[in-house]
Amino acid sequence: YPTMEMNGKEKRPTRLAMGRYDIKLRPGVKIESASLVLDEGEAVIRCLLDGKAETIRISIPIDRPVLLLTADAGMVECVEAMPSYSFAKVKAYFDDFGIPA
Protein backbone atom coordinates (compact mmCIF):
# COMPACT_ATOMS: atom_id res chain seq x y z
CA TYR A 1 0.00 0.00 0.00
CA PRO A 2 1.29 3.47 -0.77
CA THR A 3 1.99 5.59 2.28
CA MET A 4 1.59 9.29 2.76
CA GLU A 5 3.54 11.50 5.10
CA MET A 6 2.13 14.58 6.72
CA ASN A 7 3.83 16.76 9.32
CA GLY A 8 6.76 14.29 9.26
CA LYS A 9 4.56 11.32 10.23
CA GLU A 10 3.11 8.44 8.25
CA LYS A 11 -0.63 8.91 7.81
CA ARG A 12 -2.73 5.78 7.75
CA PRO A 13 -6.40 5.18 8.45
CA THR A 14 -5.65 3.77 11.91
CA ARG A 15 -8.18 5.84 13.82
CA LEU A 16 -11.86 5.91 12.98
CA ALA A 17 -13.44 9.34 13.12
CA MET A 18 -16.16 8.20 15.46
CA GLY A 19 -16.76 8.11 19.15
CA ARG A 20 -18.21 5.55 21.48
CA TYR A 21 -21.49 4.93 23.25
CA ASP A 22 -21.43 3.49 26.75
CA ILE A 23 -24.67 1.68 27.54
CA LYS A 24 -25.26 0.97 31.22
CA LEU A 25 -27.73 -1.80 31.91
CA ARG A 26 -30.11 -1.77 34.86
CA PRO A 27 -28.92 -3.69 37.94
CA GLY A 28 -30.06 -7.30 37.65
CA VAL A 29 -29.71 -7.51 33.86
CA LYS A 30 -27.35 -10.37 32.97
CA ILE A 31 -25.83 -10.60 29.49
CA GLU A 32 -26.12 -14.15 28.16
CA SER A 33 -24.69 -13.60 24.66
CA ALA A 34 -23.90 -10.91 22.12
CA SER A 35 -23.40 -11.06 18.37
CA LEU A 36 -23.01 -8.85 15.34
CA VAL A 37 -25.43 -9.25 12.44
CA LEU A 38 -23.16 -7.91 9.71
CA ASP A 39 -25.83 -7.96 6.95
CA GLU A 40 -27.99 -5.67 9.09
CA GLY A 41 -25.22 -3.65 10.78
CA GLU A 42 -26.72 -4.52 14.14
CA ALA A 43 -25.51 -5.79 17.50
CA VAL A 44 -27.87 -8.22 19.21
CA ILE A 45 -27.46 -8.73 22.95
CA ARG A 46 -29.43 -11.47 24.66
CA CYS A 47 -30.04 -10.89 28.36
CA LEU A 48 -31.87 -12.27 31.35
CA LEU A 49 -33.89 -9.99 33.62
CA ASP A 50 -35.73 -11.56 36.53
CA GLY A 51 -35.45 -14.97 34.80
CA LYS A 52 -37.05 -13.68 31.59
CA ALA A 53 -35.15 -13.66 28.27
CA GLU A 54 -34.84 -10.20 26.72
CA THR A 55 -33.11 -8.85 23.61
CA ILE A 56 -31.36 -5.51 23.10
CA ARG A 57 -30.73 -4.42 19.50
CA ILE A 58 -28.24 -1.66 18.67
CA SER A 59 -27.25 -0.12 15.34
CA ILE A 60 -25.86 3.08 13.86
CA PRO A 61 -27.28 3.94 10.43
CA ILE A 62 -24.63 4.64 7.81
CA ASP A 63 -26.41 7.79 6.64
CA ARG A 64 -27.20 9.44 10.01
CA PRO A 65 -25.18 10.19 13.14
CA VAL A 66 -27.59 8.53 15.56
CA LEU A 67 -27.68 5.44 17.75
CA LEU A 68 -30.71 3.21 17.37
CA LEU A 69 -31.34 1.15 20.50
CA THR A 70 -34.31 -1.13 21.04
CA ALA A 71 -34.86 -2.70 24.46
CA ASP A 72 -37.68 -3.57 26.80
CA ALA A 73 -38.57 -0.78 29.22
CA GLY A 74 -36.30 -0.81 32.24
CA MET A 75 -33.44 -2.77 30.64
CA VAL A 76 -31.17 0.22 30.03
CA GLU A 77 -30.29 2.57 32.85
CA CYS A 78 -28.49 5.20 30.72
CA VAL A 79 -26.59 5.83 27.48
CA GLU A 80 -23.54 8.09 27.39
CA ALA A 81 -22.15 9.45 24.13
CA MET A 82 -18.38 9.94 24.07
CA PRO A 83 -17.13 11.88 21.02
CA SER A 84 -13.89 10.75 19.41
CA TYR A 85 -12.05 13.88 20.61
CA SER A 86 -12.60 12.84 24.23
CA PHE A 87 -9.95 10.09 23.79
CA ALA A 88 -6.39 11.43 24.13
CA LYS A 89 -4.82 9.11 21.51
CA VAL A 90 -7.51 9.88 18.95
CA LYS A 91 -7.25 13.63 19.61
CA ALA A 92 -3.46 13.51 19.24
CA TYR A 93 -3.77 11.61 15.93
CA PHE A 94 -6.39 14.04 14.61
CA ASP A 95 -4.31 17.04 15.71
CA ASP A 96 -1.20 15.63 13.99
CA PHE A 97 -2.99 15.48 10.66
CA GLY A 98 -5.29 18.49 10.94
CA ILE A 99 -8.50 16.49 11.22
CA PRO A 100 -11.17 18.77 12.76
CA ALA A 101 -13.20 17.79 15.82
Side-chain angles (χ1 to χ4, degrees), residues 66-83:
V66 298
L67 175 78
L68 302 174
L69 186 144
T70 305
D72 194 42
M75 294 281 294
V76 176
E77 190 167 291
C78 67
V79 177
E80 181 182 354
M82 300 177 69

Side-chain angles (χ1 to χ4, degrees), residues 34-94:
S35 61
L36 290 174
V37 183
L38 296 177
D39 292 347
E40 301 295 324
E42 180 179 68
V44 178
I45 304 165
R46 305 220 187 274
C47 304
L48 284 178
L49 175 60
D50 300 326
K52 182 180 173 197
E54 301 285 352
T55 300
I56 299 171
R57 297 182 180 279
I58 303 167
S59 64
I60 299 174
I62 196 164
D63 60 342
R64 289 174 285 174
V66 298
L67 175 78
L68 302 174
L69 186 144
T70 305
D72 194 42
M75 294 281 294
V76 176
E77 190 167 291
C78 67
V79 177
E80 181 182 354
M82 300 177 69
S84 57
Y85 251 61
S86 65
F87 301 97
K89 287 183 180 181
V90 175
K91 183 180 182 324
Y93 178 84
F94 287 174

